[in-house]
Amino acid sequence: MITLCGMCLSNYYNKVKMVLLEKGIPFEEEFVRTGSKEEAVLSCSPLAKVPFIRTAQGSLCESQAIVDYLEALQPEPRLLPADPWAAAKVRELTTFVDLHLELAARELYGKAFFGGDISEANAERVRKLLIKNIAAFKRLAKFSPYVAGDSFTQADCAAFVSLPLVGLASRIVLGEDLLAAAGVDWKAYVKVVGERPSAQRINADRKAEQERLAAK
């Protein structure tokens, strides 16, 4: 049995969780906050980042490493095309979502979602970076109806949980949804993916965790 450790509020946790749900791999969940200094966490995730998984073979951290492991562990249903080139293109899109969109927008999250702040200079730097990176992403993404084309893939497990954060954070902090401004209709895309049982489970669990933490 795989134990998925982290928080339902984490988009990278939900990226892995979506893969587990789509593949029908049995798993348990363990609530772990990012940044924990407990040895039980650091021994599994040395940077105290979530998610990580515990398995009979040991622990594994970093969301993409986990996703790749799950794909190799249980190839069907496929979340990577069998064709090597098509599979590489899916990985390319996933990299763009994780590193060039979400990571760039993450500097806005403190002010957007947690009551923090960001200097005008840094906000403007992030704006310019996102505008450039979103234009590049748009050249690769198909949205027909899924990110890589007509099949649901790993790239969708990343995009479904991260594109809304990019759009919302940029709107709240920068005054404009930079994805929408670039012609990326992420809301329509999220609505399509949101019809999948895996997406509905993720949304419900995230909402429940938000409510539970707010009640403390």
Side-chain angles (χ1 to χ4, degrees):
M1 174 70 73
I2 290 173
T3 300
L4 175 61
C5 303
M7 306 172 64
C8 292
L9 300 184
S10 162
N11 48 321
Y12 288 102
Y13 179 93
N14 287 329
K15 169 187 169 183
V16 173
K17 184 173 177 176
M18 195 168 206
V19 170
L20 287 163
L21 291 169
E22 286 286 335
K23 287 186 167 294
I25 298 173
F27 68 100
E28 299 174 339
E29 295 182 77
E30 178 182 328
F31 180 82
V32 175
R33 290 184 182 274
T34 189
S36 172
K37 296 179 180 174
E38 297 180 8
E39 180 58 30
V41 173
L42 294 175
S43 64
C44 298
S45 179
L47 288 174
K49 293 164 55 179
V50 298
F52 60 90
I53 61 172
R54 294 192 179 102
T55 76
Q57 294 173 292
S59 59
L60 183 65
C61 63
E62 296 296 336
S63 67
Q64 193 56 43
I66 298 170
V67 166
D68 288 339
Y69 164 71
L70 296 175
E71 187 71 24
L73 179 70
Q74 184 171 302
E76 299 293 341
R78 301 194 69 89
L79 294 181
L80 274 180
D83 176 74
W85 177 257
K89 295 298 288 184
V90 167
R91 291 191 177 99
E92 178 184 55
L93 276 167
T94 304
T95 299
F96 263 76
V97 172
D98 286 350
L99 298 185
H100 303 310
L101 299 186
E102 199 279 339
L103 186 60
R106 198 180 304 175
E107 290 192 61
L108 305 176
Y109 294 178
K111 183 172 182 178
F113 307 126
F114 304 112
D117 204 359
I118 184 172
S119 70
E120 289 186 13
N122 279 337
E124 185 58 28
R125 175 178 54 79
V126 173
R127 177 195 295 275
K128 291 178 179 178
L129 181 60
L130 280 174
I131 288 173
K132 180 184 74 172
N133 291 0
I134 290 169
F137 169 72
K138 191 178 175 185
R139 288 178 178 271
L140 298 174
K142 299 184 183 302
F143 293 109
S144 58
Y146 301 113
V147 176
D150 59 2
S151 298
F152 184 89
T153 67
Q154 288 182 7
D156 295 291
C157 296
F160 175 73
V161 299
S162 288
L163 292 186
L165 293 175
V166 176
L168 291 172
S170 62
R171 178 177 60 80
I172 294 168
V173 179
L174 304 176
E176 183 179 31
D177 179 340
L178 295 181
L179 283 172
V184 178
D185 191 356
W186 64 266
K187 291 183 179 180
Y189 164 74
V190 165
K191 184 176 180 180
V192 170
V193 179
E195 296 175 357
R196 302 178 75 87
S198 63
Q200 293 171 8
R201 164 79 181 273
I202 283 170
N203 285 338
D205 289 353
R206 181 176 59 234
K207 182 179 179 181
E209 185 166 281
Q210 285 176 321
E211 293 172 349
R212 179 176 64 82
L213 293 174
K216 286 189 173 182

